[in-house]
Amino acid sequence: MNQAMDKAKPTAVALEDATVAFRLADARVYTAVERARLAVAHGEFVAIVGPTGCGKSTLLNVAAGLLKPAAGAVTIFDQPLAGLNRDAGYLFQADALFPWKTAIDNVAIGLEIKGTPRQKALEQAQAWLTSVGLGAFANRYPHMLSGGQRKRVGLAQVLIRDPKILLMDEPFGPLDAQTRQVMGNLLLELWTADRKAVLFVTHDLEEAIALADRVVIMSAGPSSRIIGDWRVELPRPRDIFEVRLDKQFHELHREIWGVLKEEVMKGYAQSTQAGGTN
Amino acid sequence: MSRAALLLCQVLVAVVVLALWQVFTTVPLFGRILLPPFFFSNPIDVFSQIINWFASGVIWKHLAITLWESILAFVIGSALGILVGFWFARQPRVAAVFDPYVKMTNALPRVVLAPIFALWFGLGIWSKVALGVTLVFFIVFFNVYQGVKEVSTTVLDNGRMLGMSERQLMRHVYWPSALSWMFSSLHTSVGFAVVGAVVGEYLGAAAGLGYLIQQAEGVFDVAGVFAGMFVLSAFVILIDMAVTVVERRLLVWRPAAAREA
């Protein structure tokens, strides 16, 4: 790919001084995120890391169009975002599958609502289930699947629509450490196939460095800001198990952790304080 | 306790109760009969009455009438409950306006409506159906309302992000959620449909199990009253078993623990 084309490559998601505020029950205004500036290029994998309650998910919801910023602008492929972000697929932290649909129906639904004939949608859904390693579980209901399997179905459900942007809100948060790594590798494998723009929220710095092209750090809330932006130059394709042993990985981790640690302690102090006054 | 032992104990309870009933009503103890047969009849008379009903075939007509009334009450009550439940859940303003009246009507013991319904709909099946509908409606209504209100916001957001329109959300998210709540109260609502039918018959009718009991009572035929009660119990148990089968089919997607709760 030559330089000119690279320049022409559009920005998939751009937040320009986006501020998000909520009105609390007692009419005070709580500013969750303040003047966030962030651009994700087409095909770029960006991870957002920050202490608990710093508004990472809020930022993601803004990019998804589920939340409207109080000030600032959101543009998707250089178009201002109005309403829901139709170019984005969203993988939620909590269980978001339809419990009354089988795994295959959960995956097929994304195509069916676009008007794809059911038979064709089911065929494609089966193919996607196979590629996330659940080909044999098509007729299981979500409650019959493990947490990791449900996440795989969720991934297939989002990817079958072939969104240009992938938004992920601590998608592997509820899983155990080994399953998370397996899921991370699966995600990288699927992502490498067609390089969507990814905005990946996590509280796990190691996960962020292992997966992403860029790691963005947010300060402790309220009024969190983006306080750091690191490029991860580790070569691809990566293996999450291997990459953690890399010297470059350790240097980057130490560098970012130096900044993040302070925010984590601040966030922790605030949460205990809040607990004391409540 | 093993299944066989449990069953044995359950049968034993019935045998002991029936035996005591028979003894106390027929054999003089300490010089007198403890339970006067005029008020308590006795098991043998009761069962011969039941056998008589089935042998002569008179019972079938009454059973069919009660069953038909129950089905109509259930279907009409459920349809209205679903409709209004959805409407109120999606239109909070309408729900707020009607809230006190819904509470008022629900608090009213429905039996007092029976005379009114008899006046409005006559002594045929429709006054019983109406009574059953007022009972079934509220159960289904509250459950559907809750089901629509309590849809997980994550599942809803997921539907939206997958590109569902409001109508598609209705069909793929709200509707199944509301139905699952309705189905989980199926036993109660079907039970109330039968209660409505029988109580309505008891208060004024020309056929049905409630009518049968009321007629027997009118001529102090205690054996007939008990016989009617036993037939009614068996009838309700059979319906309940049918509901369990239907429920299993409809709620396969639910974890077993939640289904039993």
Side-chain angles (χ1 to χ4, degrees), chain A residues 86 96 99-101 109 113 141 143 157 161, chain B residues 158 160-163 168 172 176 253-255:
Chain A
R86 289 277 160 235
W100 40 81
K101 287 184 189 291
I109 187 73
I113 55 184
Y141 286 94
H143 83 266
Q157 184 183 53
R161 292 178 62 244
Chain B
N158 192 26
R160 291 211 173 95
M161 289 310 291
L162 288 172
Q168 287 167 328
H172 294 288
W253 58 269
R254 282 237 232 158

mmCIF file with all atom_site columns, all heavy atoms in Angstrom, chain A residues 86 96 99-101 109 113 141 143 157 161, chain B residues 158 160-163 168 172 176 253-255:
data_model
loop_
_atom_site.group_PDB
_atom_site.id
_atom_site.type_symbol
_atom_site.label_atom_id
_atom_site.label_alt_id
_atom_site.label_comp_id
_atom_site.label_asym_id
_atom_site.label_entity_id
_atom_site.label_seq_id
_atom_site.pdbx_PDB_ins_code
_atom_site.Cartn_x
_atom_site.Cartn_y
_atom_site.Cartn_z
_atom_site.occupancy
_atom_site.B_iso_or_equiv
_atom_site.pdbx_formal_charge
_atom_site.auth_seq_id
_atom_site.auth_comp_id
_atom_site.auth_asym_id
_atom_site.auth_atom_id
_atom_site.pdbx_PDB_model_num
ATOM 1   N N   . ARG A 1 86  ? -24.563 2.906   12.687 1.00 0.00 ? 86  ARG A N   1
ATOM 2   C CA  . ARG A 1 86  ? -24.952 1.758   11.865 1.00 0.00 ? 86  ARG A CA  1
ATOM 3   C C   . ARG A 1 86  ? -23.746 1.005   11.285 1.00 0.00 ? 86  ARG A C   1
ATOM 4   O O   . ARG A 1 86  ? -23.908 -0.083  10.753 1.00 0.00 ? 86  ARG A O   1
ATOM 5   C CB  . ARG A 1 86  ? -25.868 2.214   10.732 1.00 0.00 ? 86  ARG A CB  1
ATOM 6   C CG  . ARG A 1 86  ? -27.230 2.617   11.203 1.00 0.00 ? 86  ARG A CG  1
ATOM 7   C CD  . ARG A 1 86  ? -28.138 1.400   11.384 1.00 0.00 ? 86  ARG A CD  1
ATOM 8   N NE  . ARG A 1 86  ? -29.256 1.679   12.248 1.00 0.00 ? 86  ARG A NE  1
ATOM 9   C CZ  . ARG A 1 86  ? -29.559 0.979   13.337 1.00 0.00 ? 86  ARG A CZ  1
ATOM 10  N NH1 . ARG A 1 86  ? -28.802 -0.023  13.708 1.00 0.00 ? 86  ARG A NH1 1
ATOM 11  N NH2 . ARG A 1 86  ? -30.606 1.273   14.062 1.00 0.00 ? 86  ARG A NH2 1
ATOM 12  N N   . ALA A 1 96  ? -25.514 -10.600 26.375 1.00 0.00 ? 96  ALA A N   1
ATOM 13  C CA  . ALA A 1 96  ? -26.427 -9.833  25.540 1.00 0.00 ? 96  ALA A CA  1
ATOM 14  C C   . ALA A 1 96  ? -27.124 -10.717 24.508 1.00 0.00 ? 96  ALA A C   1
ATOM 15  O O   . ALA A 1 96  ? -27.883 -10.231 23.698 1.00 0.00 ? 96  ALA A O   1
ATOM 16  C CB  . ALA A 1 96  ? -25.677 -8.701  24.840 1.00 0.00 ? 96  ALA A CB  1
ATOM 17  N N   . PRO A 1 99  ? -31.876 -14.897 25.105 1.00 0.00 ? 99  PRO A N   1
ATOM 18  C CA  . PRO A 1 99  ? -31.908 -16.199 25.788 1.00 0.00 ? 99  PRO A CA  1
ATOM 19  C C   . PRO A 1 99  ? -32.926 -17.157 25.183 1.00 0.00 ? 99  PRO A C   1
ATOM 20  O O   . PRO A 1 99  ? -32.817 -18.351 25.377 1.00 0.00 ? 99  PRO A O   1
ATOM 21  C CB  . PRO A 1 99  ? -32.260 -15.841 27.236 1.00 0.00 ? 99  PRO A CB  1
ATOM 22  C CG  . PRO A 1 99  ? -32.810 -14.469 27.196 1.00 0.00 ? 99  PRO A CG  1
ATOM 23  C CD  . PRO A 1 99  ? -32.235 -13.795 25.994 1.00 0.00 ? 99  PRO A CD  1
ATOM 24  N N   . TRP A 1 100 ? -33.924 -16.615 24.475 1.00 0.00 ? 100 TRP A N   1
ATOM 25  C CA  . TRP A 1 100 ? -34.975 -17.483 23.912 1.00 0.00 ? 100 TRP A CA  1
ATOM 26  C C   . TRP A 1 100 ? -34.639 -17.964 22.504 1.00 0.00 ? 100 TRP A C   1
ATOM 27  O O   . TRP A 1 100 ? -35.453 -18.592 21.859 1.00 0.00 ? 100 TRP A O   1
ATOM 28  C CB  . TRP A 1 100 ? -36.310 -16.733 23.894 1.00 0.00 ? 100 TRP A CB  1
ATOM 29  C CG  . TRP A 1 100 ? -36.156 -15.302 23.506 1.00 0.00 ? 100 TRP A CG  1
ATOM 30  C CD1 . TRP A 1 100 ? -36.047 -14.804 22.254 1.00 0.00 ? 100 TRP A CD1 1
ATOM 31  C CD2 . TRP A 1 100 ? -36.080 -14.191 24.392 1.00 0.00 ? 100 TRP A CD2 1
ATOM 32  N NE1 . TRP A 1 100 ? -35.889 -13.450 22.297 1.00 0.00 ? 100 TRP A NE1 1
ATOM 33  C CE2 . TRP A 1 100 ? -35.916 -13.050 23.599 1.00 0.00 ? 100 TRP A CE2 1
ATOM 34  C CE3 . TRP A 1 100 ? -36.136 -14.060 25.792 1.00 0.00 ? 100 TRP A CE3 1
ATOM 35  C CZ2 . TRP A 1 100 ? -35.797 -11.767 24.152 1.00 0.00 ? 100 TRP A CZ2 1
ATOM 36  C CZ3 . TRP A 1 100 ? -36.027 -12.796 26.322 1.00 0.00 ? 100 TRP A CZ3 1
ATOM 37  C CH2 . TRP A 1 100 ? -35.862 -11.672 25.507 1.00 0.00 ? 100 TRP A CH2 1
ATOM 38  N N   . LYS A 1 101 ? -33.440 -17.644 22.031 1.00 0.00 ? 101 LYS A N   1
ATOM 39  C CA  . LYS A 1 101 ? -33.031 -18.128 20.713 1.00 0.00 ? 101 LYS A CA  1
ATOM 40  C C   . LYS A 1 101 ? -31.850 -19.081 20.871 1.00 0.00 ? 101 LYS A C   1
ATOM 41  O O   . LYS A 1 101 ? -30.994 -18.861 21.722 1.00 0.00 ? 101 LYS A O   1
ATOM 42  C CB  . LYS A 1 101 ? -32.619 -16.950 19.828 1.00 0.00 ? 101 LYS A CB  1
ATOM 43  C CG  . LYS A 1 101 ? -33.782 -16.092 19.333 1.00 0.00 ? 101 LYS A CG  1
ATOM 44  C CD  . LYS A 1 101 ? -33.264 -15.015 18.390 1.00 0.00 ? 101 LYS A CD  1
ATOM 45  C CE  . LYS A 1 101 ? -34.345 -14.008 18.047 1.00 0.00 ? 101 LYS A CE  1
ATOM 46  N NZ  . LYS A 1 101 ? -35.395 -14.585 17.210 1.00 0.00 ? 101 LYS A NZ  1
ATOM 47  N N   . ILE A 1 109 ? -29.825 -13.881 13.399 1.00 0.00 ? 109 ILE A N   1
ATOM 48  C CA  . ILE A 1 109 ? -30.782 -12.775 13.523 1.00 0.00 ? 109 ILE A CA  1
ATOM 49  C C   . ILE A 1 109 ? -30.266 -11.489 12.886 1.00 0.00 ? 109 ILE A C   1
ATOM 50  O O   . ILE A 1 109 ? -31.011 -10.740 12.267 1.00 0.00 ? 109 ILE A O   1
ATOM 51  C CB  . ILE A 1 109 ? -31.174 -12.553 15.016 1.00 0.00 ? 109 ILE A CB  1
ATOM 52  C CG1 . ILE A 1 109 ? -32.287 -11.527 15.148 1.00 0.00 ? 109 ILE A CG1 1
ATOM 53  C CG2 . ILE A 1 109 ? -30.006 -12.126 15.852 1.00 0.00 ? 109 ILE A CG2 1
ATOM 54  C CD1 . ILE A 1 109 ? -33.624 -12.019 14.706 1.00 0.00 ? 109 ILE A CD1 1
ATOM 55  N N   . ILE A 1 113 ? -32.812 -9.706  10.146 1.00 0.00 ? 113 ILE A N   1
ATOM 56  C CA  . ILE A 1 113 ? -33.486 -8.418  10.256 1.00 0.00 ? 113 ILE A CA  1
ATOM 57  C C   . ILE A 1 113 ? -33.110 -7.485  9.109  1.00 0.00 ? 113 ILE A C   1
ATOM 58  O O   . ILE A 1 113 ? -33.798 -6.506  8.863  1.00 0.00 ? 113 ILE A O   1
ATOM 59  C CB  . ILE A 1 113 ? -33.210 -7.731  11.622 1.00 0.00 ? 113 ILE A CB  1
ATOM 60  C CG1 . ILE A 1 113 ? -31.724 -7.605  11.863 1.00 0.00 ? 113 ILE A CG1 1
ATOM 61  C CG2 . ILE A 1 113 ? -33.873 -8.472  12.738 1.00 0.00 ? 113 ILE A CG2 1
ATOM 62  C CD1 . ILE A 1 113 ? -31.395 -7.044  13.213 1.00 0.00 ? 113 ILE A CD1 1
ATOM 63  N N   . TYR A 1 141 ? -29.285 -23.558 23.632 1.00 0.00 ? 141 TYR A N   1
ATOM 64  C CA  . TYR A 1 141 ? -29.732 -22.246 24.103 1.00 0.00 ? 141 TYR A CA  1
ATOM 65  C C   . TYR A 1 141 ? -28.613 -21.632 24.944 1.00 0.00 ? 141 TYR A C   1
ATOM 66  O O   . TYR A 1 141 ? -27.796 -22.364 25.512 1.00 0.00 ? 141 TYR A O   1
ATOM 67  C CB  . TYR A 1 141 ? -31.014 -22.386 24.923 1.00 0.00 ? 141 TYR A CB  1
ATOM 68  C CG  . TYR A 1 141 ? -32.211 -22.658 24.068 1.00 0.00 ? 141 TYR A CG  1
ATOM 69  C CD1 . TYR A 1 141 ? -32.639 -23.959 23.822 1.00 0.00 ? 141 TYR A CD1 1
ATOM 70  C CD2 . TYR A 1 141 ? -32.896 -21.614 23.464 1.00 0.00 ? 141 TYR A CD2 1
ATOM 71  C CE1 . TYR A 1 141 ? -33.732 -24.215 23.005 1.00 0.00 ? 141 TYR A CE1 1
ATOM 72  C CE2 . TYR A 1 141 ? -33.977 -21.853 22.645 1.00 0.00 ? 141 TYR A CE2 1
ATOM 73  C CZ  . TYR A 1 141 ? -34.400 -23.153 22.420 1.00 0.00 ? 141 TYR A CZ  1
ATOM 74  O OH  . TYR A 1 141 ? -35.462 -23.387 21.612 1.00 0.00 ? 141 TYR A OH  1
ATOM 75  N N   . HIS A 1 143 ? -28.285 -20.599 27.891 1.00 0.00 ? 143 HIS A N   1
ATOM 76  C CA  . HIS A 1 143 ? -28.034 -21.080 29.262 1.00 0.00 ? 143 HIS A CA  1
ATOM 77  C C   . HIS A 1 143 ? -27.345 -22.436 29.275 1.00 0.00 ? 143 HIS A C   1
ATOM 78  O O   . HIS A 1 143 ? -26.858 -22.865 30.312 1.00 0.00 ? 143 HIS A O   1
ATOM 79  C CB  . HIS A 1 143 ? -29.341 -21.118 30.064 1.00 0.00 ? 143 HIS A CB  1
ATOM 80  C CG  . HIS A 1 143 ? -30.172 -22.356 29.857 1.00 0.00 ? 143 HIS A CG  1
ATOM 81  N ND1 . HIS A 1 143 ? -31.179 -22.414 28.931 1.00 0.00 ? 143 HIS A ND1 1
ATOM 82  C CD2 . HIS A 1 143 ? -30.122 -23.569 30.444 1.00 0.00 ? 143 HIS A CD2 1
ATOM 83  C CE1 . HIS A 1 143 ? -31.714 -23.629 28.965 1.00 0.00 ? 143 HIS A CE1 1
ATOM 84  N NE2 . HIS A 1 143 ? -31.102 -24.348 29.869 1.00 0.00 ? 143 HIS A NE2 1
ATOM 85  N N   . GLN A 1 157 ? -22.233 -13.341 16.352 1.00 0.00 ? 157 GLN A N   1
ATOM 86  C CA  . GLN A 1 157 ? -23.442 -12.547 16.152 1.00 0.00 ? 157 GLN A CA  1
ATOM 87  C C   . GLN A 1 157 ? -23.105 -11.161 15.622 1.00 0.00 ? 157 GLN A C   1
ATOM 88  O O   . GLN A 1 157 ? -23.792 -10.628 14.754 1.00 0.00 ? 157 GLN A O   1
ATOM 89  C CB  . GLN A 1 157 ? -24.168 -12.428 17.507 1.00 0.00 ? 157 GLN A CB  1
ATOM 90  C CG  . GLN A 1 157 ? -25.494 -11.715 17.454 1.00 0.00 ? 157 GLN A CG  1
ATOM 91  C CD  . GLN A 1 157 ? -26.099 -11.586 18.843 1.00 0.00 ? 157 GLN A CD  1
ATOM 92  O OE1 . GLN A 1 157 ? -25.447 -11.096 19.773 1.00 0.00 ? 157 GLN A OE1 1
ATOM 93  N NE2 . GLN A 1 157 ? -27.330 -12.032 18.989 1.00 0.00 ? 157 GLN A NE2 1
ATOM 94  N N   . ARG A 1 161 ? -22.595 -9.623  10.579 1.00 0.00 ? 161 ARG A N   1
ATOM 95  C CA  . ARG A 1 161 ? -23.129 -8.440  9.887  1.00 0.00 ? 161 ARG A CA  1
ATOM 96  C C   . ARG A 1 161 ? -22.021 -7.674  9.167  1.00 0.00 ? 161 ARG A C   1
ATOM 97  O O   . ARG A 1 161 ? -22.288 -6.695  8.486  1.00 0.00 ? 161 ARG A O   1
ATOM 98  C CB  . ARG A 1 161 ? -23.827 -7.511  10.881 1.00 0.00 ? 161 ARG A CB  1
ATOM 99  C CG  . ARG A 1 161 ? -25.094 -8.094  11.457 1.00 0.00 ? 161 ARG A CG  1
ATOM 100 C CD  . ARG A 1 161 ? -25.710 -7.156  12.462 1.00 0.00 ? 161 ARG A CD  1
ATOM 101 N NE  . ARG A 1 161 ? -26.092 -5.885  11.873 1.00 0.00 ? 161 ARG A NE  1
ATOM 102 C CZ  . ARG A 1 161 ? -25.575 -4.716  12.199 1.00 0.00 ? 161 ARG A CZ  1
ATOM 103 N NH1 . ARG A 1 161 ? -24.627 -4.651  13.108 1.00 0.00 ? 161 ARG A NH1 1
ATOM 104 N NH2 . ARG A 1 161 ? -25.983 -3.611  11.623 1.00 0.00 ? 161 ARG A NH2 1
ATOM 105 N N   . ASN B 2 158 ? -28.308 -4.501  22.552 1.00 0.00 ? 158 ASN B N   1
ATOM 106 C CA  . ASN B 2 158 ? -27.737 -5.418  21.568 1.00 0.00 ? 158 ASN B CA  1
ATOM 107 C C   . ASN B 2 158 ? -28.646 -5.497  20.343 1.00 0.00 ? 158 ASN B C   1
ATOM 108 O O   . ASN B 2 158 ? -28.170 -5.416  19.206 1.00 0.00 ? 158 ASN B O   1
ATOM 109 C CB  . ASN B 2 158 ? -27.561 -6.802  22.197 1.00 0.00 ? 158 ASN B CB  1
ATOM 110 C CG  . ASN B 2 158 ? -26.707 -7.715  21.336 1.00 0.00 ? 158 ASN B CG  1
ATOM 111 O OD1 . ASN B 2 158 ? -25.881 -7.237  20.555 1.00 0.00 ? 158 ASN B OD1 1
ATOM 112 N ND2 . ASN B 2 158 ? -26.913 -9.009  21.457 1.00 0.00 ? 158 ASN B ND2 1
ATOM 113 N N   . ARG B 2 160 ? -30.701 -3.256  19.300 1.00 0.00 ? 160 ARG B N   1
ATOM 114 C CA  . ARG B 2 160 ? -30.597 -1.991  18.564 1.00 0.00 ? 160 ARG B CA  1
ATOM 115 C C   . ARG B 2 160 ? -29.323 -1.948  17.742 1.00 0.00 ? 160 ARG B C   1
ATOM 116 O O   . ARG B 2 160 ? -29.330 -1.560  16.578 1.00 0.00 ? 160 ARG B O   1
ATOM 117 C CB  . ARG B 2 160 ? -30.595 -0.816  19.550 1.00 0.00 ? 160 ARG B CB  1
ATOM 118 C CG  . ARG B 2 160 ? -31.913 -0.630  20.223 1.00 0.00 ? 160 ARG B CG  1
ATOM 119 C CD  . ARG B 2 160 ? -32.160 0.842   20.542 1.00 0.00 ? 160 ARG B CD  1
ATOM 120 N NE  . ARG B 2 160 ? -33.518 0.999   21.039 1.00 0.00 ? 160 ARG B NE  1
ATOM 121 C CZ  . ARG B 2 160 ? -33.832 1.001   22.331 1.00 0.00 ? 160 ARG B CZ  1
ATOM 122 N NH1 . ARG B 2 160 ? -32.900 0.880   23.254 1.00 0.00 ? 160 ARG B NH1 1
ATOM 123 N NH2 . ARG B 2 160 ? -35.083 1.119   22.715 1.00 0.00 ? 160 ARG B NH2 1
ATOM 124 N N   . MET B 2 161 ? -28.197 -2.357  18.377 1.00 0.00 ? 161 MET B N   1
ATOM 125 C CA  . MET B 2 161 ? -26.916 -2.286  17.666 1.00 0.00 ? 161 MET B CA  1
ATOM 126 C C   . MET B 2 161 ? -26.868 -3.286  16.511 1.00 0.00 ? 161 MET B C   1
ATOM 127 O O   . MET B 2 161 ? -26.117 -3.097  15.563 1.00 0.00 ? 161 MET B O   1
ATOM 128 C CB  . MET B 2 161 ? -25.744 -2.556  18.625 1.00 0.00 ? 161 MET B CB  1
ATOM 129 C CG  . MET B 2 161 ? -25.456 -1.451  19.622 1.00 0.00 ? 161 MET B CG  1
ATOM 130 S SD  . MET B 2 161 ? -25.301 0.193   18.906 1.00 0.00 ? 161 MET B SD  1
ATOM 131 C CE  . MET B 2 161 ? -23.769 0.042   17.998 1.00 0.00 ? 161 MET B CE  1
ATOM 132 N N   . LEU B 2 162 ? -27.655 -4.372  16.602 1.00 0.00 ? 162 LEU B N   1
ATOM 133 C CA  . LEU B 2 162 ? -27.707 -5.313  15.490 1.00 0.00 ? 162 LEU B CA  1
ATOM 134 C C   . LEU B 2 162 ? -28.591 -4.792  14.369 1.00 0.00 ? 162 LEU B C   1
ATOM 135 O O   . LEU B 2 162 ? -28.730 -5.437  13.337 1.00 0.00 ? 162 LEU B O   1
ATOM 136 C CB  . LEU B 2 162 ? -28.227 -6.676  15.967 1.00 0.00 ? 162 LEU B CB  1
ATOM 137 C CG  . LEU B 2 162 ? -27.281 -7.500  16.831 1.00 0.00 ? 162 LEU B CG  1
ATOM 138 C CD1 . LEU B 2 162 ? -27.988 -8.718  17.387 1.00 0.00 ? 162 LEU B CD1 1
ATOM 139 C CD2 . LEU B 2 162 ? -26.046 -7.924  16.054 1.00 0.00 ? 162 LEU B CD2 1
ATOM 140 N N   . GLY B 2 163 ? -29.197 -3.629  14.610 1.00 0.00 ? 163 GLY B N   1
ATOM 141 C CA  . GLY B 2 163 ? -29.939 -2.984  13.542 1.00 0.00 ? 163 GLY B CA  1
ATOM 142 C C   . GLY B 2 163 ? -31.439 -3.216  13.574 1.00 0.00 ? 163 GLY B C   1
ATOM 143 O O   . GLY B 2 163 ? -32.118 -3.029  12.570 1.00 0.00 ? 163 GLY B O   1
ATOM 144 N N   . GLN B 2 168 ? -39.102 -4.732  14.954 1.00 0.00 ? 168 GLN B N   1
ATOM 145 C CA  . GLN B 2 168 ? -38.319 -5.957  15.119 1.00 0.00 ? 168 GLN B CA  1
ATOM 146 C C   . GLN B 2 168 ? -37.956 -6.190  16.579 1.00 0.00 ? 168 GLN B C   1
ATOM 147 O O   . GLN B 2 168 ? -37.927 -7.324  17.044 1.00 0.00 ? 168 GLN B O   1
ATOM 148 C CB  . GLN B 2 168 ? -37.069 -5.894  14.243 1.00 0.00 ? 168 GLN B CB  1
ATOM 149 C CG  . GLN B 2 168 ? -37.406 -6.081  12.776 1.00 0.00 ? 168 GLN B CG  1
ATOM 150 C CD  . GLN B 2 168 ? -36.244 -5.706  11.875 1.00 0.00 ? 168 GLN B CD  1
ATOM 151 O OE1 . GLN B 2 168 ? -35.456 -4.822  12.188 1.00 0.00 ? 168 GLN B OE1 1
ATOM 152 N NE2 . GLN B 2 168 ? -36.163 -6.378  10.740 1.00 0.00 ? 168 GLN B NE2 1
ATOM 153 N N   . HIS B 2 172 ? -38.730 -9.606  18.360 1.00 0.00 ? 172 HIS B N   1
ATOM 154 C CA  . HIS B 2 172 ? -37.639 -10.491 18.770 1.00 0.00 ? 172 HIS B CA  1
ATOM 155 C C   . HIS B 2 172 ? -37.222 -10.313 20.226 1.00 0.00 ? 172 HIS B C   1
ATOM 156 O O   . HIS B 2 172 ? -36.510 -11.142 20.763 1.00 0.00 ? 172 HIS B O   1
ATOM 157 C CB  . HIS B 2 172 ? -36.415 -10.268 17.877 1.00 0.00 ? 172 HIS B CB  1
ATOM 158 C CG  . HIS B 2 172 ? -36.641 -10.678 16.452 1.00 0.00 ? 172 HIS B CG  1
ATOM 159 N ND1 . HIS B 2 172 ? -36.725 -11.987 16.064 1.00 0.00 ? 172 HIS B ND1 1
ATOM 160 C CD2 . HIS B 2 172 ? -36.845 -9.937  15.337 1.00 0.00 ? 172 HIS B CD2 1
ATOM 161 C CE1 . HIS B 2 172 ? -36.948 -12.051 14.758 1.00 0.00 ? 172 HIS B CE1 1
ATOM 162 N NE2 . HIS B 2 172 ? -37.020 -10.822 14.304 1.00 0.00 ? 172 HIS B NE2 1
ATOM 163 N N   . PRO B 2 176 ? -41.051 -12.124 23.096 1.00 0.00 ? 176 PRO B N   1
ATOM 164 C CA  . PRO B 2 176 ? -40.646 -13.353 23.787 1.00 0.00 ? 176 PRO B CA  1
ATOM 165 C C   . PRO B 2 176 ? -40.448 -13.157 25.285 1.00 0.00 ? 176 PRO B C   1
ATOM 166 O O   . PRO B 2 176 ? -40.749 -14.050 26.067 1.00 0.00 ? 176 PRO B O   1
ATOM 167 C CB  . PRO B 2 176 ? -39.325 -13.750 23.110 1.00 0.00 ? 176 PRO B CB  1
ATOM 168 C CG  . PRO B 2 176 ? -39.002 -12.720 22.130 1.00 0.00 ? 176 PRO B CG  1
ATOM 169 C CD  . PRO B 2 176 ? -40.130 -11.780 22.005 1.00 0.00 ? 176 PRO B CD  1
ATOM 170 N N   . TRP B 2 253 ? -35.978 -22.883 26.511 1.00 0.00 ? 253 TRP B N   1
ATOM 171 C CA  . TRP B 2 253 ? -34.772 -22.042 26.509 1.00 0.00 ? 253 TRP B CA  1
ATOM 172 C C   . TRP B 2 253 ? -34.394 -21.565 27.893 1.00 0.00 ? 253 TRP B C   1
ATOM 173 O O   . TRP B 2 253 ? -33.337 -20.975 28.089 1.00 0.00 ? 253 TRP B O   1
ATOM 174 C CB  . TRP B 2 253 ? -34.968 -20.849 25.584 1.00 0.00 ? 253 TRP B CB  1
ATOM 175 C CG  . TRP B 2 253 ? -36.135 -20.008 25.936 1.00 0.00 ? 253 TRP B CG  1
ATOM 176 C CD1 . TRP B 2 253 ? -37.414 -20.139 25.466 1.00 0.00 ? 253 TRP B CD1 1
ATOM 177 C CD2 . TRP B 2 253 ? -36.164 -18.906 26.841 1.00 0.00 ? 253 TRP B CD2 1
ATOM 178 N NE1 . TRP B 2 253 ? -38.211 -19.197 26.031 1.00 0.00 ? 253 TRP B NE1 1
ATOM 179 C CE2 . TRP B 2 253 ? -37.478 -18.423 26.872 1.00 0.00 ? 253 TRP B CE2 1
ATOM 180 C CE3 . TRP B 2 253 ? -35.179 -18.277 27.629 1.00 0.00 ? 253 TRP B CE3 1
ATOM 181 C CZ2 . TRP B 2 253 ? -37.851 -17.335 27.659 1.00 0.00 ? 253 TRP B CZ2 1
ATOM 182 C CZ3 . TRP B 2 253 ? -35.557 -17.197 28.403 1.00 0.00 ? 253 TRP B CZ3 1
ATOM 183 C CH2 . TRP B 2 253 ? -36.882 -16.749 28.414 1.00 0.00 ? 253 TRP B CH2 1
ATOM 184 N N   . ARG B 2 254 ? -35.253 -21.841 28.889 1.00 0.00 ? 254 ARG B N   1
ATOM 185 C CA  . ARG B 2 254 ? -34.951 -21.353 30.223 1.00 0.00 ? 254 ARG B CA  1
ATOM 186 C C   . ARG B 2 254 ? -34.158 -22.364 31.026 1.00 0.00 ? 254 ARG B C   1
ATOM 187 O O   . ARG B 2 254 ? -34.422 -23.558 30.937 1.00 0.00 ? 254 ARG B O   1
ATOM 188 C CB  . ARG B 2 254 ? -36.272 -21.104 30.954 1.00 0.00 ? 254 ARG B CB  1
ATOM 189 C CG  . ARG B 2 254 ? -36.868 -19.817 30.496 1.00 0.00 ? 254 ARG B CG  1
ATOM 190 C CD  . ARG B 2 254 ? -37.070 -18.931 31.653 1.00 0.00 ? 254 ARG B CD  1
ATOM 191 N NE  . ARG B 2 254 ? -38.445 -18.477 31.626 1.00 0.00 ? 254 ARG B NE  1
ATOM 192 C CZ  . ARG B 2 254 ? -39.074 -18.034 32.696 1.00 0.00 ? 254 ARG B CZ  1
ATOM 193 N NH1 . ARG B 2 254 ? -38.512 -18.031 33.849 1.00 0.00 ? 254 ARG B NH1 1
ATOM 194 N NH2 . ARG B 2 254 ? -40.285 -17.616 32.589 1.00 0.00 ? 254 ARG B NH2 1
ATOM 195 N N   . PRO B 2 255 ? -33.214 -21.899 31.859 1.00 0.00 ? 255 PRO B N   1
ATOM 196 C CA  . PRO B 2 255 ? -32.514 -22.839 32.723 1.00 0.00 ? 255 PRO B CA  1
ATOM 197 C C   . PRO B 2 255 ? -33.495 -23.528 33.662 1.00 0.00 ? 255 PRO B C   1
ATOM 198 O O   . PRO B 2 255 ? -34.497 -22.936 34.075 1.00 0.00 ? 255 PRO B O   1
ATOM 199 C CB  . PRO B 2 255 ? -31.527 -21.971 33.493 1.00 0.00 ? 255 PRO B CB  1
ATOM 200 C CG  . PRO B 2 255 ? -31.877 -20.567 33.197 1.00 0.00 ? 255 PRO B CG  1
ATOM 201 C CD  . PRO B 2 255 ? -32.717 -20.546 31.974 1.00 0.00 ? 255 PRO B CD  1
#
